Every structure is written in structure tokens, then in C-alpha cells.
Amino acid sequence: EEGADDSSAVFSEYYSDGSIESVTTREIPSEVLKIFEDRSALYVHPDAYHSEHFSALKRITHGNDERSYVAHRREKVYPGSGRIELETYVVDVDPDGAIIGYGELRKHVEDEHPEEIDRPQVGWTETARKYQRRGYGLRRLRVMNAVAHMRYGLPLYSDPVIEPAAKRRWEEL
């Protein structure tokens, strides 16, 4: 599943403002783990879903004691479409554990659109209102790009459908 060197050195090459380490589910705040599970279960029949269906869990510690948690989901098959994706979820928390924002990175493994394969892209990203306009969305994109390089050896691409505000953040990269 991992196409690239899954090491902190690769991550640090693309994001030098924090350190990354492997963690277990016990080291992830329950609210963050709930977001991981909710996103992981999306579009999967409840009878077919298995909790903690992750191939790797990571914690990024930023210089200001804020943290980002990363979960690499095993392959997700979308019923009826023939699409298979690898997904990575990123959740940012402040030093008190409050959720700053979250995002999803998708890489198509099989798709009816071959141009989507080998193009890790932003599935979505959102920042909580009280943290907006403070650079967190841009930081999350930078983290997601480093994760794409670490996991796949490929850069992060924008989603083909992009909102104007998100497009401005993307252009700042």
C-alpha cells in the first residue's frame, strides 16, 4: 500500500515546522479518533465496516504545542462505482485538545477516470470558525503535501472542483 519511504525524514523534507511520530489509538484523543472513524465509515455499508481500519497512525507536534493527528485508512471500495481509494485523514488540535480543523487526502487506486490514479488530492479540508484566517488551512495543506510525499512519493494535487477561497490558499503554497 505504501509506495514511498514512510519515514519522518521524507515528511521533514516537505514540512520542517514540526516532527512526526507513529502512535497507537490509545495516544489519540477520543474526539479525534471519532472523526477518523466517522470519515472512514462514510459510504461503507455498516455490516461491512470494521473500526480501526487504519494502516498507520501518526502524530505531528508543531512548534507551538499544537498537534495534528494522521490516520492512513486501508483501501476503501465505493459500492457501485468501481472506485477504490486510499484515504488519509488529518485532524489539528490546539494545546488544550480543541479541534482546530481537519482534512482528507485521497488517492485513487482504481477509478473509471484513469487520470485520477497516482494523483493524491485534497478530498476536503475545513477549519473551525474561531480558528479561521490564522493560517491553519494553509498549514494543513502543507502537512497533507508532506504526508502525500511520505506515503506515496508524490505531491499533493488540488481537487478538480475547488472553491474560490480554497483556490487562494492553494495558490499560496
Side-chain angles (χ1 to χ4, degrees), residues 6-21:
D6 192 19
S7 73
S8 61
V10 173
F11 179 85
S12 296
E13 184 179 336
Y14 294 94
Y15 183 77
S16 60
D17 295 334
S19 60
I20 191 167
E21 62 185 327

Side-chain angles (χ1 to χ4, degrees), residues 61-106:
T61 304
H62 304 282
N64 55 5
D65 289 332
E66 293 170 341
R67 294 166 312 285
S68 297
Y69 292 90
V70 178
H72 297 314
R73 191 198 192 286
R74 298 186 194 283
E75 285 188 347
K76 184 183 234 180
V77 179
Y78 285 80
S81 73
R83 187 174 75 205
I84 300 174
E85 291 183 347
L86 296 174
E87 297 176 345
T88 299
Y89 314 114
V90 177
V91 178
D92 306 317
V93 298
D94 73 11
D96 297 322
I99 302 293
I100 294 171
Y102 34 82
E104 180 177 278
L105 162 67
R106 296 178 179 160

Side-chain angles (χ1 to χ4, degrees), residues 113-159:
H113 305 287
E115 68 277 4
E116 296 294 325
I117 296 174
D118 288 334
R119 289 178 55 94
Q121 64 187 27
V122 176
W124 56 268
T125 182
E126 183 177 334
T127 303
R129 184 172 301 281
K130 78 181 222 176
Y131 295 102
Q132 290 180 355
R133 304 205 188 294
R134 294 165 58 184
Y136 290 112
L138 181 58
R139 181 181 77 181
R140 191 172 315 107
L141 288 174
R142 291 178 57 229
V143 164
M144 290 168 70
N145 181 56
V147 167
H149 279 282
M150 183 181 74
R151 188 170 188 200
Y152 307 115
L154 296 165
L156 182 67
Y157 291 85
S158 67
D159 188 299

Side-chain angles (χ1 to χ4, degrees), residues 40-55:
S40 180
L42 196 62
Y43 306 115
V44 177
H45 191 281
D47 293 340
Y49 184 71
H50 305 285
S51 65
E52 297 184 19
H53 199 68
F54 307 112
S55 61

